[in-house]
Amino acid sequence: MTIPRAWEHIPERSVLREVVRTLDEAGDLGPPALASALRRPIAMDDVAPWIQFDPHNYRRNLVARTDRWELRLHCWRPGQTTTLHGHGASACAFRVIRGSAFETRIGARDAVLPPGSLVDESAGGLVHQVGNAANDALLTLHAYAPPLPIDAPSARAGRSVVIVGGGASGIAVAVHLLARNSPDLRVYVVERGPWIGRGVAYGVESGVFRLNVPAGKMSLDPRRPGDFAEWAGADPGEFLGRAAYGSYLEARLADAVRASPAKVRIVRGDVVAADHEGVLLADGRRIDAEAVVLATGIAPRVAPSELPVDSRVVDAWDECALAALPREGAILVLGAGLSALDVVALCEAQGHRGSLTILSRRGLLPRPHLSPSSGGAPTGVPPATAAAAPRALRPLIRWVRDHVLEQTRAGRPWQHALDALRPHTASLYRGLPAAERARFVRSVRPYWEVLRHRAPPESLDRIARLRSHGSLEVVAGRVARCTSRGEGLDVEIALAGGGFRTSRYDAIVRCIGPALDPSEAQTPLVRALVESGLAKPDAAGLGIETDEEGRVVTPSGRPSERLYALGAVRRASSWEVTAMPDITGQALALAAHLVP
C-alpha cells in the first residue's frame, strides 16, 4: 500500500503508521473502529514529534488527516481543560498515553482515566469536558471521524462569569446564560460534587425519591412551563422521581452547550472566598471574572450535639447509607418534613418489617397537594392588594388567614388560596422589619412550611396506612440524650407535652432539613464575605442580604455590581426562593441582566 503524502512525516517504524493504516482501511468509522485503531500499544516515543505545550491552554497538535478522519495529540499542562463540548456529527475515541486524564461527562459521574485508558464516544449525543487534574503533564491521542471543523482550543479570553455551585440553581443560570448566544461569554461553574447538574436534591438514583411539585411546574424555562412534563412524557399533574428531574437538567444543559457559541468550563473544588474580581478556591486556585453568582443551594444542617458519632446514625441525603438500613428492628426518623416521608417510602420499598418513629419538635407533617383531578387554578391577588398588606407580623398573619378564609368560603381549596400569594411572598417578607422577620423564622416558619411545602397525596396516604397498622408513630419532641450501645442506640426523648420517654433504636435517620443559619452549615464562603465587608449579615440569621435583583448587599446598604445570588442564598431577603419555579425565574432574569 502506498502511504499518502499527508502521512510521510510519520516515521516508518512508528506504531502510528499502523494506526493511520487501520483508520484509512476501515469502512465504518464509528467509535468502535476508532477505538480499535488506538488499541495497539502506543508509547511516548511514538508521539514525541508532536509534543508541544502552551502555558495558557492545552494544545491540539495535528498528527495526520484525510477527508474522512483525523488524528491529533493533545498536550496538557496541569490544570488545563477543554470546555464542555459536543463533537457534532463526528465520532471520537481517545487513548491516554501519559499521565491521568479527568473527564466530566454530562449524565455520568466524573471519571479518572489512568495511562492506557481507551475511551470511545458516540457522535451527536455526548457532551463532556476533558482535562488534566494531576500535577504531571498529560498526553492523549484522539481520533475523529469526520475531522472536527476546528484546529485550536476555545480561547479563554472573553467576558467571564463564575457560578459557585453546579446543582439545579447553578445549572439553571448557566443554561439561560448560554441561551443569550454571546460568542465571547466564558462561564465557569465551580462544583465540588462528582456529578454536574444534580446537587443534593437530585443526586439520587432510587426511583423511590419523588418530587414534591407536579411535573407541570418544574420547567427550567418559565416561558415554557410544560417543558419538563413534555420531556418526561408525563402528565403535568404527576409527581415524578427526583432522579428523572436530574436527568432533565443534564439534558437541557447538554442542549444549551451544543447550541450556544458561549463556552462553559466545569471547575471541581470548593470556593472559600469571593470578591469583585473573582473567586478563590480551597486549593489556592483563583478564577477572575466580571461577575460572580452564588448558587450554592441548600446545605444539610450539621448533626445535633446530642447524637453520637455512630455508623447507625445516618443522613437522609446519604442514599447508600439509607439502602443499608436494617430490614428489621426500630428506626427513628428525626424530622417530619418531605425528606422524612421519602425515608418512610424507602423503608417500605426495602421491605422493612420493624417499627418507624417520626420525631420532630412539633410533630407537624406536610399538608397534601391537591390531586391532579381537582382542577381549577388560583385566583390571583392584585399587586395593589398585596402592597397594602400589614407590615407587622401578627397583623400580617391575620391578613393571610382572612384571605384564605375568604377563598375557602367561596368554594376554592385552601391550597389555591395560598398559591395565589406566591408571587407576593418575597415582597411581604421584605416588608417586615428585621426583628419581625426573626420572629417569623423562629416561631411561625414551621407552621408556614407544612402548608407551603406540600407532599404528594400518596405519600401522606402511606403514613396514614402505616399509622393505622401500628408500625409507625409520629411524636412531638426532641432528642435529650442518645447513648450508643453495642446492641442499639438508647434515646431519651423530651416530649413536647412534658415528660420524657426512653426507647432503643437500631438506626437513626437525620431528616432535619436544610441549614438556615450559615453557622449550621459551616459555609466558609458566606463567612468570608461577611468578614471581608462585602456582604451584610441578615438580622434573622438566614445568611446575607440581597436586593430584589439578587445583588449582594454590602454593610453600607449598597448593592454590589459584581456579586449576585440565586435560589437559597437569597433566602434572607426573599424567604421562599428554594423551589424550582422561583429559581428558574430568577435565573432567567439574572442571565438577561448579566448579558443584555
Side-chain angles (χ1 to χ4, degrees):
M1 173 181 178
T2 302
I3 302 297
R5 293 185 61 82
W7 302 351
E8 288 180 351
H9 58 289
I10 301 176
E12 182 65 37
R13 296 185 178 181
S14 171
V15 172
L16 296 189
R17 282 279 184 128
E18 296 304 315
V19 173
V20 297
R21 279 196 182 94
T22 302
L23 291 172
D24 210 51
E25 293 173 357
D28 174 23
L29 282 175
L34 298 180
S36 179
L38 298 176
R39 188 163 286 118
R40 51 185 48 80
I42 302 171
M44 184 172 170
D45 286 344
D46 296 312
V47 298
W50 297 276
I51 297 177
Q52 293 184 33
F53 293 92
D54 183 321
H56 305 295
N57 208 345
Y58 81 103
R59 281 186 60 120
R60 305 178 69 249
N61 302 316
L62 182 64
V63 176
R65 175 194 280 160
T66 70
D67 59 350
R68 298 179 60 230
W69 55 264
E70 69 176 355
L71 190 67
R72 287 184 178 270
L73 182 72
H74 293 188
C75 301
W76 322 70
R77 291 294 187 193
Q80 293 179 340
T81 73
T82 68
T83 60
L84 270 181
H85 64 280
H87 295 142
S90 296
C92 171
F94 71 91
R95 186 182 184 102
V96 180
I97 307 299
R98 182 183 189 277
S100 293
F102 188 85
E103 184 186 33
T104 294
R105 184 179 293 205
I106 300 301
R109 296 181 185 274
D110 289 348
V112 176
L113 307 173
S117 296
L118 183 60
V119 180
D120 61 84
E121 299 163 341
S122 300
L126 175 76
V127 172
H128 73 154
Q129 174 179 303
V130 179
N132 183 5
N135 295 320
D136 195 8
L138 170 67
L139 303 175
T140 54
L141 187 63
H142 296 244
Y144 301 97
L148 296 180
I150 59 171
D151 288 320
S154 301
R156 299 185 73 93
R159 174 175 171 78
S160 299
V161 176
V162 172
I163 301 172
V164 184
S169 297
I171 294 311
V173 73
V175 166
H176 288 299
L177 281 171
L178 290 172
R180 307 300 295 175
N181 289 318
S182 174
D184 69 339
L185 178 64
R186 301 293 179 262
V187 179
Y188 296 84
V189 180
V190 185
E191 168 61 31
R192 62 184 176 184
W195 202 349
I196 193 69
R198 295 279 181 160
V200 173
Y202 309 113
V204 296
E205 298 184 58
S206 171
V208 172
F209 299 108
R210 317 297 288 177
L211 296 169
N212 66 303
V213 176
K217 297 182 179 180
M218 292 292 287
S219 171
L220 200 55
D221 189 341
R223 298 165 300 186
R224 300 173 56 203
D227 186 57
F228 172 52
E230 293 170 9
W231 176 89
D235 185 275
E238 284 188 64
F239 295 90
L240 300 180
R242 282 195 262 148
Y245 191 70
S247 297
Y248 163 74
L249 293 173
E250 292 168 338
R252 288 297 175 256
L253 174 61
D255 292 343
V257 168
R258 295 189 198 98
S260 179
K263 301 300 179 184
V264 180
R265 270 189 173 84
I266 307 301
V267 180
R268 294 299 185 190
D270 278 301
V271 174
V272 295
D275 55 33
H276 295 123
E277 305 300 326
V279 299
L280 176 68
L281 275 65
D283 59 10
R285 286 178 292 168
R286 182 173 178 83
I287 306 174
D288 295 329
E290 284 75 27
V292 175
V293 179
L294 309 178
T296 50
I298 61 174
R301 294 179 186 173
V302 296
S305 58
E306 295 83 5
L307 296 180
V309 177
D310 190 295
S311 62
R312 293 167 294 190
V313 179
V314 303
D315 198 281
W317 304 109
D318 188 340
E319 190 175 11
C320 289
L322 294 179
L325 285 173
R327 302 304 192 259
E328 297 181 353
I331 295 177
L332 176 63
V333 180
L334 295 182
L338 297 166
S339 295
L341 302 189
D342 278 344
V343 169
V344 172
L346 183 67
C347 287
E348 184 177 60
Q350 293 179 167
H352 180 255
R353 295 178 294 277
S355 64
L356 293 166
T357 300
I358 294 177
L359 174 67
S360 73
R361 295 269 181 169
R362 297 166 182 82
L364 300 173
L365 293 171
R367 299 301 186 262
H369 276 290
L370 285 171
S371 65
S373 61
S374 299
T379 300
V381 174
T385 301
R391 293 299 188 258
L393 186 57
R394 285 185 180 276
L396 180 60
I397 291 173
R398 286 195 295 269
W399 183 85
V400 171
R401 284 175 174 167
D402 289 343
H403 162 75
V404 174
L405 184 59
E406 178 185 351
Q407 295 295 304
T408 54
R409 283 174 175 169
R412 301 183 183 96
W414 64 264
Q415 292 94 331
H416 282 175
L418 282 182
D419 290 347
L421 294 173
R422 188 185 190 108
H424 311 290
T425 303
S427 60
L428 293 173
Y429 182 75
R430 281 194 297 267
L432 294 172
E436 296 282 76
R437 291 188 198 178
R439 286 182 59 206
F440 171 82
V441 172
R442 185 174 60 252
S443 304
V444 181
R445 173 187 57 83
Y447 301 95
W448 174 257
E449 287 189 337
V450 298
L451 297 172
R452 282 293 299 116
H453 300 290
R454 301 170 206 142
E458 56 267 30
S459 296
L460 295 174
D461 290 344
R462 178 182 298 108
I463 297 294
R465 173 168 46 79
L466 294 175
R467 293 178 82 173
S468 68
H469 294 166
S471 56
L472 181 147
E473 63 173 339
V474 179
V475 178
R478 61 178 178 82
V479 174
R481 184 169 58 240
C482 180
T483 305
S484 178
R485 305 290 185 188
E487 63 275 18
L489 297 157
D490 290 339
V491 180
E492 184 179 29
I493 298 173
L495 300 171
F500 294 85
R501 81 176 216 190
T502 300
S503 302
R504 175 162 294 180
Y505 296 97
D506 296 282
I508 297 176
V509 184
R510 297 173 59 250
C511 305
I512 55 178
L516 296 177
D517 189 311
S519 64
E520 294 181 315
Q522 299 177 336
T523 49
L525 175 57
V526 172
R527 194 160 52 245
L529 287 170
V530 172
E531 292 174 353
S532 62
L534 294 174
K536 181 180 180 180
D538 172 51
L542 295 182
I544 56 177
E545 291 192 10
T546 56
D547 69 2
E548 293 186 36
E549 282 72 44
R551 295 177 293 183
V552 174
V553 174
T554 64
S556 67
R558 295 184 59 184
S560 170
E561 291 298 332
R562 291 200 168 191
L563 292 174
Y564 298 84
L566 186 80
V569 189
R570 291 196 196 181
R571 181 169 43 203
S573 300
S574 302
W575 180 240
E576 285 201 325
V577 287
T578 58
M580 286 307 294
D582 303 309
I583 291 170
T584 55
Q586 292 176 8
L588 179 64
L590 183 54
H593 174 77
L594 294 175
V595 185

